[in-house]
Amino acid sequence: MRDGMKVTQSLNMQSNAVFEQEQLRVQALKTVCAGSRRLEWSSPPEAIEHLKTQEIWFPPPQFYEVCRLCNFSSLGELHQFSSARALEGCERWLPVMLTASDGYIQLLPGDELYPEDPDYTGEKKTMMSTDKKVEDLMKEGSVFHRIVIKNINNYAVYVNIPAKYKHMNPLMINSDCSDCNSRL
C-alpha cells in the first residue's frame, strides 16, 4: 500500500468510483455514436485537435497511440520504422485505473504506481483509489507511464521510461493544450 492510497477488494461493485467510470463510458459511447456520421482522414495532430474541439472522440488507448504516431513526419517514415522493428516483439498491457479525487489515471506497466500483480481476469475485483488530486500525484511521482484523464475530452500522456522492444514512446501531449509538439 502506498502513502495516501488505498486498495480495496469488494464483491459489491456499486461503489461511487465504478459508477462514475461507467457514466464516463456511457457518455463516451453516446459521443461516438452521435459523431459517427462522416469519415475523414486526419493526421495525428489534426485528430488531437478534433478531440480538443470535441468534434471526435477516441478512448485513452487510442489517444496514446495517436501521440505515438506524432513521432513520425510521414507515412513512409512510419512504415520504415515498423518494418525495422517488426521482429522485435511486443508486450501485452493491462491499464490499471487509479481513481483520484478529481479525475482518473490509467497506469501502464513501468509506472511507479502500477501494481506488481495486476488483476488480469477481473476476478479479484480490485480497485485503486486515493483522496489526492491528480496534480498532487503527478508532483509526488517521478517514474511515469500513464494517461491522465480529467474528463471525456481531456487526456494527457506522461512517459519517462524507456520503450521496450525498440518501440517508440508517445510524445507527451495534453489534449487540453494547444501545442502538440508533433513532427508532422
Side-chain angles (χ1 to χ4, degrees):
M1 187 176 321
R2 294 178 174 90
D3 181 41
M5 285 198 310
K6 55 188 171 202
V7 178
T8 10
Q9 289 189 332
S10 170
L11 296 177
N12 180 5
M13 295 305 291
Q14 301 302 315
S15 72
N16 192 31
V18 171
F19 180 72
E20 289 174 4
Q21 286 179 357
E22 194 58 34
Q23 280 184 316
L24 188 65
R25 287 187 193 114
V26 168
Q27 185 181 3
L29 183 58
K30 287 179 184 176
T31 303
V32 169
C33 292
S36 61
R37 295 189 181 106
R38 67 179 187 172
L39 181 63
E40 180 180 314
W41 180 267
S42 299
S43 69
E46 289 170 337
I48 292 169
E49 189 61 37
H50 291 309
L51 174 71
K52 289 190 304 189
T53 59
Q54 300 181 13
E55 297 172 57
I56 64 171
W57 178 83
F58 38 87
Q62 280 65 36
F63 180 72
Y64 183 97
E65 292 302 328
V66 169
C67 291
R68 192 185 302 215
L69 290 172
C70 286
N71 283 294
F72 303 100
S73 60
S74 68
L75 191 54
E77 188 180 337
L78 172 62
H79 183 267
Q80 184 179 12
F81 170 78
S82 62
S83 296
R85 71 153 302 280
L87 298 178
E88 295 297 327
C90 59
E91 180 180 29
R92 180 180 58 172
W93 288 355
L94 172 71
V96 173
M97 189 71 78
L98 168 61
T99 303
S101 65
D102 63 341
Y104 304 94
I105 300 176
Q106 276 193 349
L107 304 169
L108 300 168
D111 191 282
E112 65 189 9
L113 297 179
Y114 195 79
E116 289 181 29
D117 184 26
D119 183 10
Y120 290 111
T121 63
E123 294 171 353
K124 297 177 190 173
K125 310 284 190 241
T126 302
M127 296 175 43
M128 292 180 65
S129 64
T130 181
D131 294 329
K132 295 181 180 182
K133 291 185 175 190
V134 169
E135 182 180 352
D136 296 332
L137 291 167
M138 295 303 294
K139 286 178 183 175
E140 293 171 5
S142 62
V143 180
F144 298 141
H145 192 201
R146 59 183 68 170
I147 304 170
V148 172
I149 305 167
K150 288 288 195 162
N151 63 50
I152 190 170
N153 288 87
N154 186 347
Y155 308 138
V157 174
Y158 296 93
V159 183
N160 64 3
I161 63 169
K164 291 185 176 179
Y165 304 104
K166 296 185 182 177
H167 221 304
M168 181 90 53
N169 275 333
L171 291 183
M172 290 194 288
I173 295 175
N174 183 337
S175 68
D176 196 36
C177 72
S178 59
D179 181 21
C180 287
N181 296 320
S182 173
R183 294 181 53 208
L184 293 175

